[in-house]
């Protein structure tokens, strides 16, 4: 966000008082940013109305008159009129005025400015608000039109930074979200996201309306037709202008689309249902993904900032039976192995979080048809170990380190090249830990500086199995190498220095692929195949942990957590709580798809402080924030050592938890590799989760025994990792909700 407008400015001139120009003028006039807002329009009636409706202070007929002593000149005329207005302006002395525009295409405006001024004036900042309505004209001017809409500015290399900052601040004043983009990129993006859809809507309606039976078609037109063609009601003249102005970019995207349409025609013609299902499932998910992004944006905007606050009321007890969301590690692997299997794999209990969805998208991009997820059900139409197809572009893996590290192993052995990219945070994570051993197996992998993403993996290499002694315990590195081992000549053996999650080994066996595990070494050899199976993803023990602690500390509680994964590499939290005296019983123990699961019955108990055995630390590493809450409610002292890794998780979990606990009045002392907590009564207060979802949920649990309400700041990330947390919390008896303001 730009800073506020620096000082009171003298004069704003808006040329073209239609919907966009009028809204810009009216909004800034109401904010009192300029001493005077002046309008220019060629239509006298528009000029009269503009003053009458309070859009501007006054109007001038002459552009030259109006622009004298202007601080800012906004051009909001139709896009094909820009050149004429710019030509006129180039003849006047504009002093130090900043020039900007709102045209829907940017390349043509910049070309026109260069042609008329001789070169692009440094104080000209091209812009484009992504807002509008089906109305036009000054009567439609609306001071709120740009609130919570994007505005794209396309400065050039020699654009004056002060001019840019000023235009930025004016749009921010109107409540818009300003972004900067390169001119060509803007035109490409808009051609795809706005211009092409309008072209399709216009042509579909026209094509159907021309036909002799058109009355029939329109009489039976259902919601789908109405929704799809709504934008065909837009201003024909404006759109005619836009297609002429953004010709090249529109033609490029239109050709791409025509190719896709031909492929779909071919699929219909040849009865290729697989192709149709592939396109439709990918499209549906992409659409859902966009809706979620848009919805979250709107929600966060509604709060006016990013600080989503939870308010947790003191007291309460837990009861009922609940199932927390599916295990993330297992969800990822179910898609990967299901895609490489022969036959159709049904997955239930899939975690519909961003990370696992990124894995689904990557395999869809490589030609695998995947239906869902819907209510945790996913159907994967496997293509076999050698059936993946080259993706159309880089595989974008969002924030998911698991996806990137595991995929690099199996992509190293494909016949095609791939590039793996991620968001800003994933792009900082170290990938050499997988790239190095894969290279030793014969893979060709290029990384960014210091081994960071993006990774470019060259296809067509022959991998050879090896014996690898991992320098650090990492389930991701182990899994990556085992997946590469499915393709490598001979045997691939991985030895780990300490036990890590063994979901890959178990699931490979579930798909009928032999894996040999002896002590700390896991081995696979190539030459076998994966056969489709049914996977029921167990509930995630890391999510269950909040309820294990909650029911343990809240008097009078009894709760059953259904179908929780109790893989021995993950059950440290149960062992530690039992050592503290918790009453947890494992009922209905069974094995599903190679993974042990059980229903966990938890009753409240008097907890006591303990020295946490160091060998349990790696088996409970994600659960410590909520275990600290258990310690705060235990009698006596709890000491944790050997957990320095907690300092480099989503937050410094030792420090952030210690700060929060102290704010509530808990006696505790962080140490370099752990914490010392003395249990006892504590009050309410204000705590900060620093965007760390597990900290936010842990303090929600702490409220059960607090003396007053706990306000927890910065809780937005809970929605991505555990979207049903608030619902399950209130269903079971934890009184936490988003603070209403
Ligand atoms: P509009 O409602 O039709 O307004 C354009 C105004 O400019 C009209 O009052 C028009 O007068 C006047 N005008 C035309 N030529 C002129 C000239 N040579 N000198 C002075 N005034 C002149 O159009 P709009 O929707 O506001 O669009 C304006 C600009 O915003 C366009 O460049 C468009 O690409 C861009 N834009 C539009 C939208 C949208 O959804 N509407 C969204 C983003 C950006 P007459 O009525 O006499 O022609």
């Amino acid at each position: 966000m730009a800073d506020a407008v620096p000082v009171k400015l003298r004069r704003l001139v808006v040329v073209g008082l239609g919907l966009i120009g009028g809204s810009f003028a009216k909004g800034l006039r109401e904010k009192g940013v300029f001493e005077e807002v002046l309008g220019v329009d060629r239509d006298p009636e528009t000029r009269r109305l503009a003053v009458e409706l309070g859009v501007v202070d006054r109007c001038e007929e002459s552009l030259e008159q109006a622009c004298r002593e202007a601080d800012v000149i906004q051009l909001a005329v139709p896009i094909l009129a820009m050149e004429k207005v710019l030509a006129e302006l180039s003849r006047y002395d504009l002093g130090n005025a900043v020039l900007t525009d709102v045209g829907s295409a940017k390349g043509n405006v910049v070309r026109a400015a260069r042609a008329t001024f001789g070169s692009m004036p440094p104080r000209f900042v091209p812009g484009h608000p992504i807002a509008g309505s089906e109305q036009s004209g000054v009567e439609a001017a609306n001071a709120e039109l740009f609130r919570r809409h994007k505005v794209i500015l396309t400065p050039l290399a020699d654009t004056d930074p002060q001019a840019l900052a000023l235009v930025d601040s004016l749009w921010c004043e109107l409540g818009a979200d300003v972004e900067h983009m390169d001119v060509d990129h803007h035109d490409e993006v808009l051609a795809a996201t706005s211009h092409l859809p309008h072209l399709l809507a216009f042509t579909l309606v026209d094509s159907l309306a021309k036909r002799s039976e058109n009355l029939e078609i329109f009489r039976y037109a259902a919601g789908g037709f109405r929704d799809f063609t709504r934008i065909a009601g837009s201003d024909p003249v404006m759109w005619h202008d836009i297609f002429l102005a953004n010709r090249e970019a529109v033609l490029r995207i239109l050709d791409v689309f025509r190719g896709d349409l031909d492929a779909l025609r071919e699929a219909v013609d040849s009865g290729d249902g697989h192709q149709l299902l592939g396109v439709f499932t990918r499209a549906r998910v992409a659409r859902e993904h966009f809706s979620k992004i848009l919805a979250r944006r709107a929600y966060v905007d509604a709060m006016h900032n990013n600080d989503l606050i939870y308010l947790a009321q003191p007291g309460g007890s837990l009861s009922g039976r609940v199932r927390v969301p599916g295990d993330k590690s297992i969800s990822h692997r179910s898609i990967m192995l299901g895609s490489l299997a022969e036959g159709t794999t049904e997955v239930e209990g899939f975690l519909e979080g961003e990370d696992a969805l990124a894995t689904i998208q990557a395999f869809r991009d490589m030609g695998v048809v995947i239906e869902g997820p819907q209510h945790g059900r996913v159907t994967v139409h496997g293509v076999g170990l050698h059936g993946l197809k080259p993706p159309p572009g880089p595989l974008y893996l969002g924030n998911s380190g698991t996806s990137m590290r595991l995929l690099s192993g199996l992509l190293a052995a494909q016949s095609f090249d791939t590039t793996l990219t991620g968001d800003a945070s994933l792009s900082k994570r170290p990938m050499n830990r997988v790239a190095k051993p894969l290279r030793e197996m014969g893979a060709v992998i290029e990384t960014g500086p210091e081994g960071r993403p993006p990774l470019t993996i060259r296809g067509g290499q022959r991998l050879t199995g090896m014996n690898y002694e991992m320098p650090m315990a990492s389930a991701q590195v182990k899994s990556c190498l085992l997946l590469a081992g499915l393709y490598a000549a001979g045997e691939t053996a991985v030895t780990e220095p300490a036990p890590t999650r063994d979901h890959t080994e178990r699931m490979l066996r579930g798909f009928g692929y032999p894996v040999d595990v002896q002590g700390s070494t896991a081995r696979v050899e190539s030459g076998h195949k994966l056969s489709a199976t049914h996977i029921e993803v167990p509930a995630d023990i890391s999510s269950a942990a909040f309820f294990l602690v909650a029911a343990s500390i809240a008097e009078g509680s009894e709760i059953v957590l259904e179908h929780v994964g109790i893989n021995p590499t993950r059950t440290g939290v149960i062992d530690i709580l039992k050592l503290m005296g918790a009453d947890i019983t494992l009922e209905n123990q069974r094995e599903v798809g190679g993974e042990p699961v059980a229903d966990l019955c938890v009753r409240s108990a008097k907890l006591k402080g303990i020295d946490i055995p160091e060998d349990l630390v790696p088996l409970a590493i994600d659960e410590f924030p909520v275990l600290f809450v258990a310690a705060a409610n235990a009698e006596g002292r709890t000491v944790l050592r050997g957990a320095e890794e907690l300092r480099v998780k989503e937050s410094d979990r030792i420090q952030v938890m210690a700060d929060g606990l102290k704010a509530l009045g808990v006696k505790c002392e962080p140490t370099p590799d752990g914490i010392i907590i003395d249990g006892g009564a504590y009050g309410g207060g204000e705590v900060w989760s620093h965007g760390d979802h597990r900290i936010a949920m842990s303090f929600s649990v702490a409220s059960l025994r607090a003396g007053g309400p706990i306000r927890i700041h910065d809780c937005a990330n809970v929605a991505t990792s555990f979207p049903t947390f608030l619902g399950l919390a209130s269903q079971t008896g934890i009184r936490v909700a988003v603070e209403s303001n």
Side-chain angles (χ1 to χ4, degrees):
M1 270 248 188
D3 294 337
V5 178
V7 279
K8 181 106 175 166
L9 296 156
R10 255 175 320 160
R11 179 183 288 183
L12 167 68
V13 176
V14 178
V15 187
L17 294 171
L19 169 71
I20 302 294
S23 300
F24 186 83
K26 194 169 187 204
L28 289 176
R29 183 166 181 263
E30 285 180 9
K31 293 273 176 192
V33 175
F34 290 86
E35 279 169 22
E36 183 181 43
V37 176
L38 219 153
V40 179
D41 199 281
R42 58 182 186 178
D43 179 3
E45 179 60 11
T46 299
R47 295 199 296 270
R48 191 187 66 73
L49 270 173
V51 176
E52 191 178 304
L53 297 171
V55 169
V56 293
D57 294 306
R58 65 188 179 90
C59 279
E60 279 282 357
E61 203 177 338
S62 144
L63 185 62
E64 184 176 16
Q65 281 288 359
C67 291
R68 259 185 220 145
E69 304 195 351
D71 286 311
V72 177
I73 304 170
Q74 171 66 280
L75 305 182
V77 297
I79 191 123
L80 293 187
M82 291 285 182
E83 186 169 350
K84 204 171 134 248
V85 175
L86 283 167
E88 204 182 329
L89 283 174
S90 70
R91 295 198 296 271
Y92 308 145
D93 175 11
L94 300 180
N96 215 22
V98 170
L99 197 56
T100 182
D101 81 303
V102 294
S104 304
K106 300 279 38 105
N108 75 309
V109 174
V110 172
R111 275 193 300 277
R114 283 195 178 122
T116 51
F117 283 86
S119 64
M120 183 71 180
R123 289 176 75 78
F124 184 2
V125 182
H128 175 206
I130 313 294
S133 92
E134 268 113 65
Q135 299 161 305
S136 58
V138 71
E139 302 89 326
N142 167 9
E144 298 287 310
L145 185 68
F146 308 110
R147 175 159 299 286
R148 291 164 60 199
H149 280 84
K150 284 209 187 310
V151 170
I152 302 174
L153 300 183
T154 60
L156 288 95
D158 46 7
T159 301
D160 177 349
Q162 274 182 338
L164 178 60
L166 177 59
V167 177
D168 247 350
S169 64
L170 294 179
W171 285 112
C172 288
E173 198 64 41
L174 296 175
D177 250 353
V178 183
E179 286 187 16
H180 295 177
M181 225 185 241
D182 176 69
V183 171
D184 292 339
H185 188 208
H186 167 276
D187 286 359
E188 294 285 341
V189 169
L190 268 291
T193 55
S194 169
H195 307 170
L196 180 66
H198 278 83
L199 196 83
L200 299 183
F202 283 126
T203 184
L204 178 67
V205 175
D206 181 52
S207 172
L208 296 184
K210 274 194 313 219
R211 296 167 59 104
S212 55
E213 70 276 29
N214 64 48
L215 254 184
E216 288 289 275
I217 292 173
F218 288 100
R219 185 177 314 149
Y220 296 113
F225 178 80
R226 265 206 309 274
D227 285 354
F228 182 74
T229 59
R230 181 182 56 79
I231 51 180
S234 308
D235 181 1
V237 178
M238 183 176 100
W239 282 98
H240 143 280
D241 285 12
I242 288 174
F243 285 106
L244 296 181
N246 198 22
R247 180 171 171 272
E248 282 81 16
V250 168
L251 287 180
R252 270 194 294 278
I253 189 70
L254 198 54
D255 287 344
V256 171
F257 181 72
R258 209 158 59 172
D260 289 344
L261 200 59
D262 283 346
L264 218 50
R265 187 194 184 285
E266 173 63 30
V268 173
D269 189 22
S270 60
D272 184 351
H274 190 260
Q275 162 82 357
L276 294 176
L277 200 55
V279 173
F280 300 163
T281 47
R282 283 200 302 275
R284 179 184 166 151
V285 167
R287 159 85 196 142
E288 276 166 11
H289 186 63
F290 294 144
S291 317
K292 275 190 205 148
I293 290 176
L294 292 174
R296 193 171 320 134
R297 234 189 73 77
Y299 187 57
V300 171
D301 282 357
M303 310 299 296
H304 297 298
N305 56 40
N306 288 327
D307 187 7
L308 184 68
I309 297 173
Y310 281 3
L311 186 60
Q313 299 295 346
S317 63
L318 278 83
S319 62
R321 296 179 75 88
V322 288
R323 181 162 171 167
V324 299
D327 187 284
K328 186 159 93 169
S329 306
I330 298 176
S331 295
H332 277 297
R333 288 159 174 83
S334 70
I335 300 304
M336 295 183 187
L337 299 190
S339 295
L340 299 177
E342 290 174 21
T344 303
T345 292
E346 299 284 350
V347 183
E348 283 180 70
F350 183 84
L351 173 69
E352 297 181 32
E354 304 276 320
D355 286 7
L357 292 175
T359 293
I360 292 193
Q361 193 54 39
F363 281 92
R364 285 193 169 123
D365 287 346
M366 292 189 284
V368 182
V369 174
I370 301 172
E371 296 172 66
Q374 199 175 20
H375 305 309
R377 296 181 77 96
V378 184
T379 306
V380 189
H381 298 266
V383 294
L385 275 167
H386 301 281
L388 295 178
K389 298 210 183 90
L395 297 174
Y396 176 73
L397 301 169
N399 188 25
S400 177
T402 307
S403 310
M404 188 167 282
R405 295 206 176 106
L406 269 59
L407 273 176
S408 56
L410 73 95
L411 292 176
Q414 302 302 319
S415 58
F416 48 83
D417 294 356
T418 36
T419 299
L420 307 182
T421 66
D423 68 6
S425 137
L426 179 56
S427 299
K428 289 194 200 115
R429 290 196 228 162
M431 292 296 148
N432 270 339
R433 55 179 69 179
V434 291
K436 257 182 75 192
L438 284 173
R439 286 187 193 122
E440 286 176 36
M441 293 175 78
V444 177
I445 300 180
E446 292 150 26
T447 67
E450 295 161 44
R452 299 187 203 290
L455 298 188
T456 298
I457 302 173
R458 299 286 167 206
Q461 314 299 325
R462 224 182 103 73
L463 303 190
T464 315
M466 67 160 173
N467 273 312
Y468 188 63
E469 300 263 348
M470 286 199 291
M472 90 249 302
S474 160
Q476 291 177 349
V477 177
K478 174 176 66 172
S479 301
C480 161
L481 298 179
L482 292 177
L483 289 175
L486 304 184
Y487 296 88
E491 187 185 82
T492 302
V494 188
T495 304
E496 52 190 7
T500 65
R501 300 176 183 193
D502 63 354
H503 303 301
T504 304
E505 296 92 303
R506 286 171 182 268
M507 199 183 286
L508 277 168
R509 289 203 196 104
F511 277 86
Y513 204 102
V515 184
D516 177 47
V517 181
Q518 307 271 346
S520 55
T521 303
R523 287 187 180 78
V524 290
E525 55 172 19
S526 53
H528 302 275
K529 64 172 188 152
L530 297 158
S531 305
T533 184
H534 181 103
I535 295 177
E536 220 181 302
V537 179
D540 196 333
I541 192 166
S542 298
S543 301
F546 300 103
F547 296 91
L548 292 177
V549 172
S552 297
I553 64 171
E555 264 173 41
S557 297
E558 177 165 352
I559 184 171
V560 177
L561 299 160
E562 293 175 344
H563 202 76
V564 180
I566 49 162
N567 182 312
T569 58
R570 300 282 299 279
T571 46
V573 61
I574 297 180
D575 299 334
I576 292 169
L577 281 172
K578 280 188 169 174
L579 287 174
M580 296 175 81
D583 180 355
I584 302 173
T585 48
L586 277 57
E587 294 172 352
N588 196 12
Q589 290 195 42
R590 57 216 183 266
E591 189 147 309
V592 181
E595 289 283 343
V597 295
D599 299 334
L600 307 184
C601 177
V602 198
R603 294 185 191 84
S604 38
K606 270 208 149 347
L607 301 184
K608 58 180 193 305
I610 58 165
D611 268 13
I612 297 175
E614 277 196 45
D615 60 337
L616 288 179
V617 170
L619 309 182
I621 196 75
D622 286 335
E623 287 72 64
F624 279 110
V626 78
L627 282 170
F628 294 174
V629 172
N633 285 283
E635 199 185 316
R637 173 169 285 195
T638 296
V639 182
L640 171 68
R641 294 185 197 86
E644 50 277 273
E645 202 192 326
L646 288 179
R647 291 203 177 267
V648 292
K649 289 281 185 183
E650 280 87 331
S651 67
D652 175 345
R653 285 186 171 157
I654 292 175
Q655 194 59 48
V656 172
M657 280 304 295
D659 291 346
L661 288 171
K662 280 184 183 164
L664 302 182
V666 176
K667 243 183 98 195
C668 63
E669 211 40 62
T671 62
D673 67 341
I675 193 165
I676 301 163
I677 300 173
D678 288 311
Y682 54 87
E686 195 113 355
V687 298
W688 276 261
S689 78
H690 292 266
D692 187 331
H693 51 126
R694 293 200 199 280
I695 306 269
M697 292 186 274
S698 298
F699 281 110
S700 305
V701 169
S703 67
L704 287 156
R705 291 278 295 273
I710 304 181
R711 279 183 93 221
I712 312 160
H713 288 268
D714 213 357
C715 295
N717 282 340
V718 173
T720 37
S721 80
F722 191 163
T724 52
F725 175 71
L726 286 180
L728 291 181
S730 83
Q731 185 186 329
T732 51
I734 307 174
R735 301 174 189 165
V736 60
V738 171
E739 185 180 69
S740 49
N741 52 3

